[in-house]
Amino acid sequence: EGKGLISGGDAVYALLGEVPWPLGEWQHLVGTYDGTTLRLYRNGEPDSIKVVELETGNTFPYFVVGVDSTWHTDPSASGFAQPGTKIDEVKVYDYALSDSQVQLLYEVGTEGPIPVDVCSAAGVYASFETGTGCPLAYWDMETLDASGHLEDHIAGNNLELIGEPLGGVAGISGGAYEVSADGQHFVSKAPFSDALAGSNPKSLSVWAWVTESCNGLPFGRGCSLAGFGTAFDGENYESIFGSTFN
């Protein structure tokens, strides 16, 4: 067993889940920040909460999926993930999701897609994801563009595959990717939006299958799933916003 973890690297800025997360099962992890309060959800239900001042930086302004998030200054630099880690349905929002919206995201993932594409011609969406409710970025972790990059269905900020992660594994909705060895991860082709920087509201939703615990390692030195923010320099823990499994 382990626990979900959202945000920065040390205890001051990190929010560790209270509900144990069983290994070898798909789990839905959501982190939200409304400008003052950080919230963590697991499988559609509130897990833990913390009032904290986050200042998500942008010295390493790329989305990263499936890498040890020490946030190397070189976006193609090597990182690692725990063996057998599978990642699916990664969404990023420029607002704080509500309890009910998180629940709807979980229900879509477990009960199947609703028969209406509301934010793009492809993908799986909850009923609130329309207009200004659409995610800022959305990677279904299976659709590739002509260059072999994972498509962002919203803004075209596609993910470059680094280190030959394994594609086509069974996901929560269609296919997913497995990151099981040093260097296997994904990096966006363009920087993330300034709307996500500083203390602005933001949310991150990801489905993950983890087979090994990180044995208490903090964010940035453990089973990182997805995130963005300042390159870790030993001090700027609060400048990272992301999710991992502890």
Side-chain angles (χ1 to χ4, degrees):
E1 292 185 341
K3 296 179 179 179
L5 179 67
I6 197 76
S7 192
D10 71 357
V12 175
Y13 302 105
L15 179 61
L16 182 65
E18 299 177 356
V19 180
W21 182 345
L23 300 173
E25 297 180 11
W26 282 106
Q27 304 288 319
H28 185 221
L29 188 67
V30 173
T32 71
Y33 184 64
D34 62 8
T36 59
T37 304
L38 191 63
R39 290 179 171 84
L40 177 68
Y41 300 81
R42 187 185 74 89
N43 289 347
E45 298 294 333
D47 187 334
S48 51
I49 186 172
K50 175 184 283 189
V51 176
V52 62
E53 183 176 353
L54 291 180
E55 287 292 334
T56 305
N58 59 2
T59 61
F60 182 74
Y62 300 91
F63 292 106
V64 182
V65 175
V67 65
D68 168 41
S69 302
T70 44
W71 304 112
H72 307 278
T73 54
D74 176 2
S76 64
S78 176
F80 75 94
Q82 293 294 90
T85 299
K86 302 173 187 176
I87 301 173
D88 199 5
E89 296 294 313
V90 179
K91 295 182 178 182
V92 182
Y93 304 82
D94 58 356
Y95 62 93
L97 295 167
S98 67
D99 291 358
S100 61
Q101 288 171 331
V102 172
Q103 179 65 37
L104 286 170
L105 280 178
Y106 173 68
E107 291 174 356
V108 168
T110 55
E111 298 179 4
I114 57 177
V116 178
D117 293 320
V118 288
C119 292
S120 67
V124 178
Y125 295 101
S127 57
F128 71 88
E129 294 179 288
T130 182
T132 58
C134 288
L136 197 66
Y138 168 33
W139 302 277
D140 63 11
M141 303 306 290
E142 63 175 320
T143 305
L144 300 176
D145 66 12
S147 299
H149 300 150
L150 279 166
E151 286 191 7
D152 168 15
H153 291 307
I154 304 299
N157 193 0
N158 298 347
L159 295 176
E160 181 179 1
L161 283 65
I162 309 294
E164 299 184 355
L166 179 63
V169 301
I172 194 67
S173 178
Y177 265 84
E178 181 177 323
V179 284
S180 298
D182 182 43
Q184 293 183 351
H185 61 284
F186 312 84
V187 180
S188 66
K189 301 298 291 182
F192 65 79
S193 169
D194 287 342
L196 298 172
S199 60
N200 291 337
K202 62 206 78 174
S203 299
L204 174 65
S205 171
V206 59
W207 282 88
W209 176 295
V210 180
T211 59
E212 295 184 19
S213 171
C214 283
N215 299 316
L217 290 174
F219 183 86
R221 283 168 279 173
C223 309
S224 302
L225 302 174
F228 52 94
T230 294
F232 177 69
D233 62 5
E235 297 180 0
N236 291 316
Y237 298 101
E238 78 279 15
S239 298
I240 300 170
F241 189 80
S243 61
T244 188
F245 174 82
N246 200 292

